[in-house]
């Protein structure tokens, strides 16, 4: 895309230089023929308009490319964060499962124990249940964060697609001219 803009700009500059050189050589003839002067004036105005259009299009393309690059960086950042959160969620799931198994084991042992249940067993069961609740809370936090990141990635991908459509529209407009 950049090569195309440079090529187009180079062609416009060459045309302007050629027109300028030609107009200097024809200056003597122009003094004799006012129709040629008017024709050259129209041509110069047309070239001026084309140059203004090209510089405007160039700025729009550069702006869209900058937006596209920023958007791609945001998507990449979100993807890295998502990978990290998924790894942490998997570890939290394993920890929650481990805590659940501990609570289940202690509860099963308590059923087979003589009555009354010793105080230290009750404290151990209560501690295991509290650790399980913490592990489940951590797991839920990671699941929510993962869902939020997936939503953010989808939003950024939609923006990326919109910017890409804008660039394609600019390409079509520039190709027609």
């Amino acid at each position: 895309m950049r090569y195309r803009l440079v090529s187009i700009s180079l062609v416009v500059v060459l045309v302007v230089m050629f027109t300028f050189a030609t107009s200097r050589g024809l200056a003597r003839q122009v003094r004799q023929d006012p129709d040629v002067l008017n024709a050259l004036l129209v041509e110069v105005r047309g070239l001026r308009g084309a140059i203004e259009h090209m510089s405007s299009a160039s700025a729009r393309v550069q702006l869209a490319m900058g937006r596209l690059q920023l958007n791609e960086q945001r998507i990449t950042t979100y993807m890295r964060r998502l990978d990290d959160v998924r790894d942490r969620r998997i570890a939290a799931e394993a920890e929650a499962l481990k805590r659940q198994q501990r609570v289940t084991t202690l509860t099963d042992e308590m059923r087979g124990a003589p009555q009354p249940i010793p105080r230290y067993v009750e404290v151990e069961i209560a501690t295991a249940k509290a650790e399980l609740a913490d592990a489940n809370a951590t797991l839920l936090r990671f699941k929510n964060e993962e869902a939020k990141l997936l939503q953010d990635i989808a939003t950024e991908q939609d923006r990326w697609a919109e910017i890409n459509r804008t660039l394609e529209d600019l390409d079509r407009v520039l190709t027609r001219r």
Side-chain angles (χ1 to χ4, degrees), residues 73-89:
Q73 289 172 355
R74 279 194 300 264
I75 290 172
T76 301
T77 300
Y78 283 139
M79 293 300 287
R80 281 191 208 123
R81 285 179 53 200
L82 180 63
D83 289 342
D84 180 53
V85 168
R86 281 184 174 160
D87 291 343
R88 293 168 68 192
R89 178 190 46 84

Side-chain angles (χ1 to χ4, degrees), residues 49 70 96 106 116 118 123 147 162 177:
L70 286 173
L106 288 172
V123 170
E162 180 61 33
R177 291 189 174 247

Side-chain angles (χ1 to χ4, degrees), residues 44-170:
V44 168
R45 286 182 181 155
L47 287 172
R48 182 179 178 191
I51 291 170
E52 288 174 356
H53 176 74
M54 289 304 296
S55 68
S56 169
S58 174
R60 289 178 61 200
V61 168
Q62 288 176 352
L63 180 62
M65 289 299 293
R67 286 179 180 165
L68 188 67
Q69 289 172 343
L70 286 173
N71 190 268
E72 286 175 349
Q73 289 172 355
R74 279 194 300 264
I75 290 172
T76 301
T77 300
Y78 283 139
M79 293 300 287
R80 281 191 208 123
R81 285 179 53 200
L82 180 63
D83 289 342
D84 180 53
V85 168
R86 281 184 174 160
D87 291 343
R88 293 168 68 192
R89 178 190 46 84
I90 289 168
E93 285 175 344
E95 185 64 25
L97 181 61
K98 178 180 159 187
R99 300 291 178 189
Q100 179 62 49
Q101 289 171 345
R102 176 76 176 139
V103 168
T104 302
T105 301
L106 288 172
T107 304
D108 290 345
E109 289 176 3
M110 183 185 71
R111 285 190 194 127
Q115 298 298 329
I117 300 171
R119 177 78 181 133
Y120 74 90
V121 174
E122 289 177 359
V123 170
E124 193 171 342
I125 290 172
T127 302
K129 286 182 179 180
E131 290 171 349
L132 174 61
D134 288 345
N136 283 334
T138 300
L139 177 59
L140 181 60
R141 190 181 89 235
F142 286 134
K143 284 181 178 180
N144 289 338
E145 192 173 345
E146 183 179 10
K148 174 73 169 109
L149 284 169
L150 286 170
Q151 182 181 15
D152 290 345
I153 289 170
T155 299
E156 292 301 324
Q157 287 173 335
D158 288 344
R159 286 182 186 154
W160 183 91
E162 180 61 33
I163 294 168
N164 198 36
R165 279 191 294 277
T166 300
L167 283 171
E168 288 172 356
D169 291 344
L170 283 171

